[in-house]
Amino acid sequence: MDAKQIPQAIQELPELFQRMYEAAPAEIVPLEWVARQAGYKNVGSIHNKISEGHGPSSFISGKRRVCDRKEAVLWIHSQTRPTFRGRAA
């Protein structure tokens, strides 16, 4: 993916998160993908965070809860420990 196609907010993140954005299956990603990338073993943990108002922005598409790819990666970055973010650079 060309750097010009990556949103500025993603370009400012460490390379690990830029690669995660590029590897996303589509512009709209299933909540299961977000959970896996964030290191959760169960998507229910993400559902709980959404219901508490701390999860990624999401919406229902068909029968699945999905997220915008950019918003998902930004949320995952915000959930990681600072030491992990430092090593990701």
Side-chain angles (χ1 to χ4, degrees), residues 11-69:
Q11 289 180 24
E12 294 173 1
L13 299 178
E15 184 181 346
L16 172 71
F17 297 97
Q18 293 175 32
R19 288 193 315 252
M20 184 185 299
Y21 178 85
E22 292 173 342
E27 284 298 317
I28 304 299
V29 294
L31 206 55
E32 293 81 5
W33 182 87
V34 178
R36 260 193 331 271
Q37 297 302 312
Y40 290 95
K41 294 180 181 180
N42 185 331
V43 73
S45 300
I46 303 285
H47 282 289
N48 290 343
K49 289 191 173 290
I50 290 171
S51 67
E52 294 168 357
H54 303 294
S57 300
S58 63
F59 56 94
I60 302 294
S61 176
K63 294 183 178 183
R64 300 180 85 180
R65 183 162 287 279
V66 296
C67 300
D68 174 74
R69 170 172 69 166

